[in-house]
Amino acid sequence: MTDHDPNGQRNPAMNTPSLDVLFPAHIAELRSRTDRALAAAGFDGVVFQSGEPLGLARDDQHYPYKAHPHFKWWAPLADAAGSLIHYRTGSRPQLIFFVATDFWYQPATLPQASWVDEFDVVIVHSQEDARAALPKDLSRTAWLGDPLAELGGYGLAAVNPDGLLRGLDYTRARKTPYEIECLAEANRIALRGHAAAADCFVRGGSEYDIHQAFVGACGQREQELPYNAIVALNEAGSVLHYQILQRHRPTRHHSLLIDAGATCRGYGSDITRSYAASGADSTFVDLLAQMDDLQRHLCALVKPGVDWREIHQAAVEKIAALLCSSGILRCSVEEALSSGTARLFFPHGIGHLLGLQVHDVGGVMADDRGGMIPKPPLDPALRLTRQLESGFVVTMEPGLYFVEALLKPARSSHHAPRINWDTIDALAPYGGIRIEDNLVVTDSGVRNLTRERGAVA
């Protein structure tokens, strides 16, 4: 496929087939899915809004703009605030592209790319122009986007109706070939960043240095990334969503946990790697190798028809066995599981749906009518409970951590006799381990976007 900037423009440096070749079939599928969702919800049409910049409190600046996912589903436009897509059942979609008349900021520019040919394009310069570009009668049309005050005069049937949102969100779990290749390219871009980050770690960089190496190698601004990268040195690796980028270099590097992704046409990768520094504790080095092997075995379980909750349970059992075999726990695997002690070291879910959002929608939906699939009582953080289907894209991210907030209370609880505290004290400076790949469920099994040939930098 061709490398793209966030607005879908081509970069001829990539010598692979263009994503634009897959885009028409993607739009055809979206039209079919939207037709069904509109009919079920009782509407004839829908307006997808790209979103407006959110202003800072008592300031004239804005937070970094992020386009709404439903809009990006149809058009790969990351910087088109104020734009709309209007779709009526069975009709060709209309792109109402907003170009501001402004000398303070650079107005948006419509990309010169073939995907634009799938739309009837109208250029507008004001909100009034945008309304005029829509049909006069919107009494059977829904609006998905910001609930603007002006919408009261549009004559819309509904704003963000739950029934229509459920109908669309449920289907987003199943990705089109176009979406899968966007995610594959997002993995390739992110892996260039991961390689640069690992090199910076080896050279003794700070968390900030490592983050900048990642961003530079990806060629993406921080606001273009799908989420704020987690770059955690040493004990900071025990903080699941660590948000600090320390500028100073620690006295000694023990370990690095980096959880970072990149974007392609609005679709984001979500990759985590853990590293041990030269001279690291041999127990941690062994744990790192065994966790990588464990993660690969879990990836092999992915196939259509498998209940994701069963894969999560398999992960809990495998991590419990590793804790016992490595001497971190001084009990049987059965006792580690039944007592809950093992979960102190793996307190999150095994993964989630991935797509236009990092934690993509629909993970616990039983159907498009409001039914929900319950989370396991012992694993309330699980973000996916559905049975896997071909076209799902999921993350696989087992972790093993030494979290002070969980282990400190355990020292004086019923867990204490089962834990080898000398080993914990030795491993605590390393924080933890997480290894995460992005997987496509295929008809025959699984495609690993993160480890496939040509993806790893």
Side-chain angles (χ1 to χ4, degrees):
M1 76 213 65
T2 303
D3 201 5
H4 295 73
D5 74 8
N7 279 344
Q9 298 193 46
R10 300 183 182 183
N11 181 342
M14 292 293 288
N15 187 27
T16 46
S18 172
L19 284 165
D20 290 343
V21 172
L22 299 171
F23 192 77
H26 170 72
I27 288 295
E29 176 63 19
L30 294 197
R31 291 173 63 177
S32 177
R33 295 185 192 183
T34 305
D35 286 348
R36 293 193 296 271
L38 287 170
F43 303 108
D44 291 342
V46 58
V47 177
F48 300 99
Q49 186 219 20
S50 64
E52 300 288 344
L54 180 63
L56 277 68
R58 303 178 66 82
D59 203 333
D60 63 352
Q61 299 187 66
H62 296 87
Y63 291 103
Y65 168 75
K66 298 282 189 179
H68 292 326
H70 286 110
F71 180 88
K72 291 190 296 179
W73 201 23
W74 286 77
L77 292 168
D79 295 305
S83 295
L84 308 172
I85 290 171
H86 173 231
Y87 177 72
R88 297 181 68 179
T89 300
S91 300
R92 183 175 162 87
Q94 179 187 35
L95 171 60
I96 301 172
F97 188 77
F98 176 70
V99 179
T101 303
D102 192 357
F103 58 85
W104 287 107
Y105 299 100
Q106 176 63 41
T109 303
L110 189 66
Q112 299 298 309
S114 64
W115 67 260
V116 179
D117 297 338
E118 297 301 312
F119 298 89
D120 292 331
V121 179
V122 180
I123 306 295
V124 299
H125 303 284
S126 68
Q127 197 170 71
E128 292 75 19
D129 291 343
R131 174 62 187 95
L134 293 168
K136 184 177 181 180
D137 182 5
L138 295 175
S139 62
R140 291 185 58 79
T141 299
W143 171 281
L144 298 186
D146 297 333
L148 306 175
E150 294 82 357
L151 297 183
Y154 277 33
L156 291 157
V159 175
N160 298 323
D162 288 341
L164 181 58
L165 284 167
R166 286 195 302 267
L168 296 174
D169 288 350
Y170 183 72
T171 68
R172 270 177 51 191
R174 181 167 49 84
K175 303 299 186 285
T176 65
Y178 164 81
E179 294 180 283
I180 290 170
E181 292 312 311
C182 286
L183 289 162
E185 182 63 12
N187 267 260
R188 296 185 187 102
I189 296 169
L191 286 166
R192 294 200 294 266
H194 275 269
D199 180 66
C200 186
F201 168 63
V202 170
R203 291 185 285 105
S206 68
E207 291 172 350
Y208 179 80
D209 296 333
I210 294 167
H211 176 270
Q212 294 306 97
F214 175 84
V215 173
C218 289
Q220 296 187 351
R221 298 170 64 189
E222 187 169 4
Q223 71 186 57
E224 294 174 287
L225 303 181
Y227 57 96
N228 291 336
I230 297 168
V231 182
L233 288 173
N234 301 345
E235 67 277 358
S238 67
V239 182
L240 302 184
H241 285 171
Y242 180 71
Q243 76 278 24
I244 308 299
L245 290 175
Q246 297 287 357
R247 264 63 169 181
H248 71 272
R249 300 185 178 192
T251 303
R252 180 180 174 186
H253 282 64
H254 296 290
S255 61
L256 167 66
L257 188 155
I258 174 169
D259 184 334
T263 56
C264 174
R265 292 192 169 200
Y267 292 84
S269 53
D270 182 4
I271 303 168
T272 308
R273 290 294 183 262
S274 297
Y275 302 94
S278 176
D281 185 286
S282 60
T283 301
F284 181 79
V285 174
D286 290 343
L287 282 173
L288 189 55
Q290 291 180 76
M291 282 293 291
D292 185 74
D293 186 61
L294 182 153
Q295 194 264 3
R296 291 172 186 261
H297 279 88
L298 291 170
C299 290
L301 299 178
V302 172
K303 60 182 178 181
V306 173
D307 189 319
W308 187 254
R309 293 170 296 183
E310 295 177 2
I311 293 180
H312 177 77
Q313 182 59 31
V316 174
E317 293 171 0
K318 288 178 180 294
I319 291 170
L322 177 55
L323 289 166
C324 293
S325 65
S326 64
I328 294 173
L329 295 186
R330 297 185 288 202
C331 63
S332 68
V333 175
E334 292 73 17
E335 186 178 351
L337 291 168
S338 63
S339 65
T341 305
R343 281 180 165 82
L344 295 175
F345 300 87
F346 177 43
H348 61 75
I350 192 59
H352 50 80
L353 293 174
L354 181 67
L356 290 164
Q357 295 169 272
V358 180
H359 301 137
D360 218 5
V361 294
V364 297
M365 297 178 72
D367 50 48
D368 58 2
R369 299 177 299 280
M372 307 293 281
I373 303 172
K375 300 178 181 181
L378 295 177
D379 301 295
L382 197 58
R383 298 179 186 272
L384 177 58
T385 54
R386 289 170 68 169
Q387 192 174 87
L388 297 178
E389 299 177 26
S390 181
F392 282 22
V393 179
V394 299
T395 65
M396 182 66 74
E397 47 184 307
L400 194 163
Y401 315 89
F402 310 101
V403 184
E404 178 67 10
L406 298 177
L407 292 177
K408 185 176 180 180
R411 290 180 183 267
S412 57
S413 74
H414 69 282
H415 297 297
R418 303 184 186 92
I419 299 174
N420 186 332
W421 293 106
D422 289 340
T423 301
I424 294 298
D425 293 340
L427 293 174
Y430 295 86
I433 298 166
R434 181 164 67 250
I435 300 170
E436 179 182 16
D437 292 347
N438 303 166
L439 312 175
V440 182
V441 184
T442 68
D443 291 339
S444 58
V446 63
R447 173 187 174 191
N448 191 324
L449 299 178
T450 311
R451 296 187 191 256
E452 67 184 0
R453 185 182 298 276
V456 179

